[in-house]
Amino acid sequence: MQFEVWAPQADRVTLQCDGVTHALERDPERTGWWWGEADARDGSRYGFALDDGPVLPDPRSRRQPDGPDGLSAVVDHQRYAWRAGWPGRPLPGAVLYELHVGTYTREGTLDAAAGRLGHLAELGVTHVQLMPLCPFPGTHGWGYEGVSLWAVHEPYGGPEALKRFVDRAHELGLGVVLDVVHNHFGPSGNYLPAFGPYLTDTHHTPWGSAVNLDAPGSDEVRAYLIGSALAWLRDYRIDGLRLDAVHALVDTRAQHFLEELSTAVDALAAEVDRPLFLVAESDLNDPRLVTARGEGGLGLHAQWNDDFHHALHTTLTGEAQGYYADFARAPLAGLAKTLTGGWFHDGTYSSFRGRHHGRPLDRTRVAAHRLLGYAQTHDQVGNRAQGDRLSAQLSPGLLACAATLVLTAPFTPMLFMGEEWAAGTPWQFFTDHTDPELADAVRRGRRREFAAHGWKEEDVPDPQDPATRDRSCLDWSEPGREPHARVLAWYRQLLALRREQPDLTDPDLADTKVAHDEERRWIAFRRGDVVVAVNLAPEPAALTLGVPHARVLAAWEPVETPGADGVLRVPGESGVVLAQY
């Protein structure tokens, strides 16, 4: 078997494979690359030593059986016999479900999560979005401090378990999206700088030195990241990737890394003859991200829309701290603006940032499905001091209102695991760092951050305490009892409507017409022949919608059809979906 590694700064590179050492040779055709052959099979342990230093894991390791600090293992992807024939599932018309493997079930493994996929198929979502799976220290964590970007966290089950998970999802008609992190590497178990200039001090990020996308040596670093992305899509039959915090990818080259990545993914989609897509997390509000490359954009297929979330969250909760301040002045007006224009900040002044922010979307060029809309995400729940969900402070009626707005809005909806039944469990920030100094630094930093906002130290969960992770695991007994069962039934009904009503997946963002009343706390909008009305106030509201001929498709509380005067009477804290005729 042939082994190769990029180590441009080394004078000597050796391979250790199954205890036998082999000297590698320079590749005459690729600068900085070394190669050699050794007897190996699936599961063989190996690593590379640079200039007679310690044996290190392969930067392109497909498996780390003993964690980030251990030897790599050979993975023969041809050994797995795929069960499901899968034509793919595109992004237009999709509903995503964000899932963290380590807390979706108490077992915290891919196989245990696969055993619960039937719930998602019955719910009516189309894609499962897995939070990052790359190896990280310890057993439990969010996954955003991973290393070995081609490998699967061993406590989750490793490579074979991911294939079994994807296979089961595809058998149930569910696509799989994977969250990948290209903007930084984890601080523990990261040996990449020993091999080459994977990082650069030319730019700095919140995590320190930036990933090298434009300095000397960046050609190979970009190829490393793109190769990893394509491996997930090809070797594991993943259907799409969520790209973490792309605003932190600093790249001054003429062709941006994201454009190069989207070009490669589109080429692979044509090769494997199934749809593949990229969804970015970005706070830039820059439409170029999701504009076609031929029109001067970067060619990504969609991005998260935090403005919709912030407007919705402020409307529901009244919170006005931090970045919510921009939306709190008139939250329903902000929500209406996002429903019709995509973003709230489209060149407007942001008090949180102290400057103008964003750029308008051209609604004639950007389809609505290219923005993801959501009421909760791992970030928006887990980055709260106590990881409290909306269900911790809102009534079932207001949770139903949130679901109504997310699942009937023009955007591609995304749910956060457990949201569909108003989970009573929190989702808190937890880590399992094996380095005591790093563990203590994370603990102290977390408490210091929230102390600045008035939290007592003892009220902020210790990320390193195993109980913090345990509290964050879903309670699968909840969906069978009230009020969770009723909320779950409402989500299922709304998702069924999305499948049945073509207007609810219409990609024309400009077709949405909105009315609202800030003081009386109601909002209504029309998408084609579908009318959605949500009353957030505790008392009933009479809405003059000018729709005298309509039938009720779904209602959280019983609602009569509008009379001849076109007035719709909506109970307090309730949502209703109607169809005109």
Side-chain angles (χ1 to χ4, degrees):
M1 177 178 175
Q2 181 170 307
F3 291 83
E4 58 183 17
V5 65
W6 182 59
Q9 298 160 353
D11 293 322
R12 169 178 161 82
V13 179
T14 57
L15 163 72
Q16 185 185 96
C17 182
D18 289 337
V20 179
T21 300
H22 308 264
L24 299 187
E25 300 178 0
R26 293 182 186 273
D27 189 326
E29 298 181 0
R30 294 188 297 168
T31 302
W33 281 86
W34 300 74
W35 74 279
E37 294 186 350
D39 291 334
R41 62 190 184 285
D42 185 79
S44 289
R45 304 293 182 90
Y46 73 98
F48 299 104
L50 311 178
D51 297 325
D52 300 318
V55 179
L56 304 176
D58 183 359
R60 286 169 168 75
S61 170
R62 270 63 169 182
R63 187 181 175 199
Q64 290 296 118
D66 301 311
D69 295 307
L71 289 176
S72 301
V74 172
V75 173
D76 179 2
H77 284 298
Q78 302 304 314
R79 293 180 72 243
Y80 185 82
W82 292 93
R83 302 186 306 269
W86 180 244
R89 193 152 194 180
L91 183 65
V95 179
L96 276 61
Y97 184 96
E98 189 181 25
L99 184 157
H100 177 260
V101 170
T103 50
Y104 186 62
T105 66
R106 181 69 57 178
E107 298 90 338
T109 65
L110 283 156
D111 284 331
R116 293 284 185 180
L117 286 177
H119 164 78
L120 300 184
E122 293 174 5
L123 177 63
V125 301
T126 64
H127 292 75
V128 185
Q129 180 176 297
L130 298 174
M131 288 177 61
L133 298 179
C134 292
F136 55 84
T139 300
H140 298 297
W142 281 19
Y144 292 95
E145 294 185 342
V147 294
S148 297
L149 300 192
W150 303 53
V152 180
H153 190 50
E154 200 70 17
Y156 287 166
E160 291 286 297
L162 177 56
K163 292 176 183 177
R164 291 192 294 268
F165 179 95
V166 173
D167 230 355
R168 180 59 182 150
H170 288 172
E171 287 177 333
L172 292 169
L174 297 168
V176 180
V177 180
L178 178 62
D179 195 337
V180 296
V181 183
H182 292 160
N183 52 57
H184 72 287
F185 305 117
S188 182
N190 176 21
Y191 300 100
L192 290 176
F195 284 90
Y198 284 88
L199 298 174
T200 175
D201 289 327
T202 304
H203 313 291
H204 289 272
T205 74
W207 307 282
S209 298
V211 174
N212 180 14
L213 299 177
D214 57 5
S218 59
D219 286 355
E220 292 292 352
V221 178
R222 291 161 76 107
Y224 171 79
L225 297 175
I226 292 171
S228 167
L230 297 182
W232 295 116
L233 300 169
R234 180 184 58 246
D235 298 335
Y236 293 94
R237 300 193 178 183
I238 299 288
D239 298 284
L241 301 176
R242 182 259 189 188
L243 310 176
D244 183 61
V246 300
H247 48 267
L249 295 171
V250 186
D251 182 8
T252 61
R253 290 172 58 160
Q255 184 184 38
H256 195 280
F257 166 74
L258 292 174
E259 181 183 354
E260 189 176 349
L261 175 60
S262 71
T263 301
V265 169
D266 287 348
L268 180 61
E271 177 187 330
V272 299
D273 193 26
R274 59 184 172 90
L276 303 172
F277 56 84
L278 297 171
V279 178
E281 179 200 16
S282 171
D283 71 353
L284 299 177
N285 286 16
D286 185 348
R288 287 173 291 192
L289 277 176
V290 293
T291 298
R293 295 186 299 275
E295 298 177 7
L298 299 182
L300 301 183
H301 305 92
Q303 75 155 83
W304 282 25
N305 185 1
D306 273 351
D307 279 12
F308 174 74
H309 168 272
H310 298 345
L312 178 56
H313 185 91
T314 306
T315 297
L316 293 166
T317 67
E319 293 182 9
Q321 73 277 16
Y323 46 67
Y324 292 133
D326 289 341
F327 302 84
R329 298 183 186 91
L332 281 166
L335 188 57
K337 182 176 180 180
T338 63
L339 287 168
T340 55
W343 290 321
F344 177 81
H345 283 305
D346 53 5
T348 57
Y349 183 79
S350 167
S351 61
F352 173 72
R353 297 174 176 88
R355 59 171 175 80
H356 286 76
H357 183 68
R359 184 174 182 166
L361 280 172
D362 182 345
R363 298 185 299 171
T364 65
R365 298 174 64 190
V366 178
H369 76 263
R370 296 194 183 279
L371 299 180
L372 268 61
Y374 36 85
Q376 301 180 77
T377 70
H378 78 274
D379 271 330
Q380 302 300 339
V381 175
N383 284 327
R384 297 172 69 84
Q386 296 186 326
D388 50 310
R389 299 169 179 264
L390 286 177
S391 54
Q393 58 177 310
L394 299 183
S395 67
L398 286 177
L399 294 174
C401 290
T404 305
L405 290 164
V406 168
L407 294 175
T408 62
F411 316 120
T412 295
M414 185 178 72
L415 311 179
F416 179 58
M417 63 176 198
E419 169 190 339
E420 71 274 20
W421 73 69
T425 51
W427 201 75
Q428 299 176 333
F429 178 70
F430 52 89
T431 55
D432 191 18
H433 290 298
T434 53
D435 179 341
E437 291 186 7
L438 181 57
D440 189 55
V442 170
R443 181 187 298 112
R444 288 186 286 106
R446 183 79 174 173
R447 289 173 170 168
R448 185 168 55 248
E449 174 188 354
F450 287 104
H453 298 287
W455 288 88
K456 296 179 181 179
E457 181 174 313
E458 60 269 22
D459 292 335
V460 179
D462 178 359
Q464 285 286 121
D465 185 348
T468 304
R469 176 264 171 181
D470 293 344
R471 283 191 297 270
S472 301
C473 293
L474 290 178
D475 179 356
W476 282 92
S477 72
E478 287 184 338
R481 62 179 188 267
E482 298 298 348
H484 309 286
R486 186 184 177 196
V487 174
L488 178 57
W490 181 241
Y491 271 83
R492 285 175 174 163
Q493 187 174 8
L494 291 173
L495 285 163
L497 280 184
R498 283 189 62 84
R499 296 191 298 273
E500 297 163 4
Q501 299 293 325
D503 286 335
L504 290 179
T505 51
D506 184 349
D508 185 0
L509 186 61
D511 189 48
T512 303
K513 306 296 187 292
V514 181
H516 69 278
D517 189 312
E518 203 77 54
E519 184 176 346
R520 295 169 60 205
R521 287 182 53 74
W522 62 259
I523 186 168
F525 56 92
R526 178 183 300 177
R527 300 186 61 203
D529 290 330
V530 174
V531 177
V532 179
V534 172
N535 178 17
L536 300 158
E539 62 276 351
L543 284 61
T544 303
L545 301 179
V547 186
H549 304 291
R551 60 188 176 92
V552 175
L553 298 175
W556 173 252
E557 297 287 357
V559 172
E560 294 187 3
T561 57
D565 57 1
V567 175
L568 176 69
R569 290 169 174 80
V570 184
E573 298 185 352
S574 184
V576 57
V577 184
L578 307 100
Q580 299 180 85
Y581 61 88

